[in-house]
């Protein structure tokens, strides 16, 4: 086993042990406490001394955990599910984060929604649902998805979203991916998406939706690159959409938040007149 995998498993084991203790304490006392970085360091040290891990593996694991104190993503617990129930919508603004941080946020959100949805389903099956369990349904929407789960690369979100795309219905969790580059999306995730809305798409991207071609027919496929604004082709699982068709999306009523800044507004032509 390579060195990286050894220290990763040491950290994972330490965190899992602390989580198990926290869950037991919560069941006994009804109160939940956060797991701190110092506690993880202490547990990693303990596990490193009592296992067959080399001193080098233990030291690297401890150094990695301590670096989490510098991360912008680590802070007080945020009541994600409680806030989602209260507000119905949570926007995770990742514009100022690096790509690896955005992927961590996406993976954490997916895990959180899946975990809660799975717990709701289990309580219902056991005949002891809590308030809101039977009405619970969540959807995770990811824009620029080709950056989060790129084709040909394994990221922190790859396995999480593969599982969500495959098993999300069992945890009452839906997944929507939006991308202008479907050819750059993880193929194993893309093929599990049940319904597809295809807006104007460049011809070099049509290969990535090969399974849609037979459903839409050659005439609709040929029209895809020249579709007007708000027009899309709809295709999907035969149980839900028997035949592909064109659809016009209603114009949005809310303002668009990401307008292009007027960077050339102050420029003038050589004759002194303003540019339009």
């Amino acid at each position: 086993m390579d060195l990286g995998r050894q220290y990763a498993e040491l950290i994972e084991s330490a965190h899992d042990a602390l989580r198990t203790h926290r869950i037991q304490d919560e069941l006994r006392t009804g109160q939940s406490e956060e797991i701190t970085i110092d506690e993880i360091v202490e547990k990693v040290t303990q596990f490193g001394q009592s296992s067959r891990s080399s001193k080098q593996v233990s030291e690297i694991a401890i150094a990695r955990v301590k670096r989490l104190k510098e991360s912008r993503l680590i802070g007080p617990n945020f009541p994600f599910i409680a806030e989602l129930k209260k507000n119905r919508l949570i926007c995770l603004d990742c514009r100022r984060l690096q790509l690896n941080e955005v992927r961590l946020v996406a993976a954490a959100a997916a895990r959180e929604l899946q975990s809660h949805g799975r717990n709701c389903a289990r309580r219902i099956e056991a005949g002891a649902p809590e308030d809101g369990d039977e009405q619970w349904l969540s959807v995770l929407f990811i824009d620029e998805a080709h950056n989060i789960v790129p084709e040909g690369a394994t990221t922190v979100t790859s396995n999480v979203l593969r599982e969500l795309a495959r098993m999300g219905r069992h945890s009452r969790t839906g997944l929507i991916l939006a991308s202008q580059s479907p050819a750059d999306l993880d193929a194993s995730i893309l093929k599990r998406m049940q319904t597809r809305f295809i807006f104007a798409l460049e011809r070099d991207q049509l290969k990535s939706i090969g399974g849609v071609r037979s459903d839409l027919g050659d005439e609709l496929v040929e029209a895809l690159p020249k579709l007007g604004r708000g027009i899309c082709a709809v295709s999907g699982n035969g149980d839900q959409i028997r035949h592909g068709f064109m659809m016009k999306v209603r114009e949005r009523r809310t303002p668009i938040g990401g307008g292009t800044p007027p960077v050339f507004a102050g420029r003038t032509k050589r004759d002194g007149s303003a540019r339009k």
Side-chain angles (χ1 to χ4, degrees):
M1 184 184 297
D2 64 276
L3 183 63
R5 187 58 194 162
Q6 288 183 55
Y7 76 70
E9 287 190 352
L10 184 57
I11 296 172
E12 186 176 352
S13 298
H15 185 256
D16 285 346
L18 289 169
R19 278 182 55 188
T20 300
H21 291 154
R22 285 293 192 275
I23 292 172
Q24 292 173 346
D25 291 343
E26 185 176 357
L27 291 174
R28 187 176 62 255
T29 64
Q31 297 181 342
S32 176
E33 293 186 10
E34 299 178 10
I35 297 175
T36 66
I37 301 297
D38 291 336
E39 285 180 308
I40 299 177
V41 170
E42 183 180 350
K43 187 64 70 173
V44 167
T45 303
Q46 178 186 336
F47 278 17
Q49 293 173 346
S50 61
S51 69
R52 295 181 181 179
S53 300
S54 66
K55 182 179 180 182
Q56 181 186 13
V57 171
S58 181
E59 289 177 347
I60 293 176
I62 292 171
R64 290 279 182 172
V65 174
K66 286 183 176 179
R67 284 186 60 186
L68 292 176
K69 290 185 176 181
E70 304 170 8
S71 173
R72 295 182 289 179
L73 302 181
I74 304 297
N77 280 347
F78 174 70
F80 184 62
I81 298 300
E83 288 295 322
L84 187 56
K85 288 181 178 180
K86 176 183 176 182
N87 298 295
R88 302 296 182 183
L89 177 68
I90 291 180
C91 178
L92 301 172
D93 187 352
C94 300
R95 287 176 294 181
R96 293 174 178 82
L97 298 181
Q98 297 179 2
L99 184 55
N100 63 327
E101 294 175 319
V102 176
R103 289 170 176 169
L104 284 170
V105 171
R111 281 294 190 214
E112 194 80 6
L113 292 174
Q114 270 190 296
S115 177
H116 182 75
R118 194 176 291 115
N119 289 336
C120 289
R122 287 173 179 170
R123 287 192 291 265
I124 292 172
E125 291 176 3
E130 296 181 359
D131 184 35
D133 280 356
E134 295 181 348
Q135 291 77 37
W136 175 261
L137 178 65
S138 64
V139 176
L140 176 63
F141 175 87
I142 299 178
D143 195 12
E144 302 289 348
H146 55 278
N147 290 323
I148 308 303
V149 280
E151 172 61 8
T154 299
T155 69
V156 68
T157 49
S158 297
N159 289 334
V160 177
L161 293 189
R162 283 175 194 152
E163 179 186 350
L164 181 56
R166 184 172 62 91
M167 301 291 289
R169 63 187 183 277
H170 299 298
S171 59
R172 297 169 167 242
T173 310
L175 175 64
I176 299 176
L177 302 180
S179 171
Q180 69 270 31
S181 304
D184 299 322
L185 267 170
D186 185 293
S188 63
I189 295 177
L190 184 59
K191 70 181 181 182
R192 290 184 172 92
M193 305 305 287
Q194 298 294 311
T195 306
R196 299 172 183 176
F197 299 87
I198 308 159
F199 292 82
L201 198 62
E202 296 297 332
R203 294 189 181 278
D204 64 334
Q205 295 288 329
L206 292 178
K207 296 178 181 179
S208 63
I209 58 170
V212 177
R213 181 179 293 273
S214 59
D215 185 34
L216 293 178
D218 291 339
E219 185 176 347
L220 292 185
V221 170
E222 287 298 318
L224 290 179
K226 298 180 180 179
L227 289 182
R229 181 178 180 182
I231 307 294
C232 69
V234 182
S235 175
N237 185 290
D239 295 335
Q240 299 170 330
I241 301 174
R242 293 188 177 183
H243 302 288
F245 60 91
M246 288 293 185
M247 181 178 74
K248 180 175 177 57
V249 180
R250 289 183 299 179
E251 187 173 349
R252 63 184 292 166
R253 297 181 180 180
T254 55
I256 298 175
T260 303
V263 292
F264 299 113
R267 297 186 63 181
T268 58
K269 297 180 181 180
R270 292 183 178 179
D271 61 4
S273 61
R275 289 180 178 268
K276 294 183 180 180

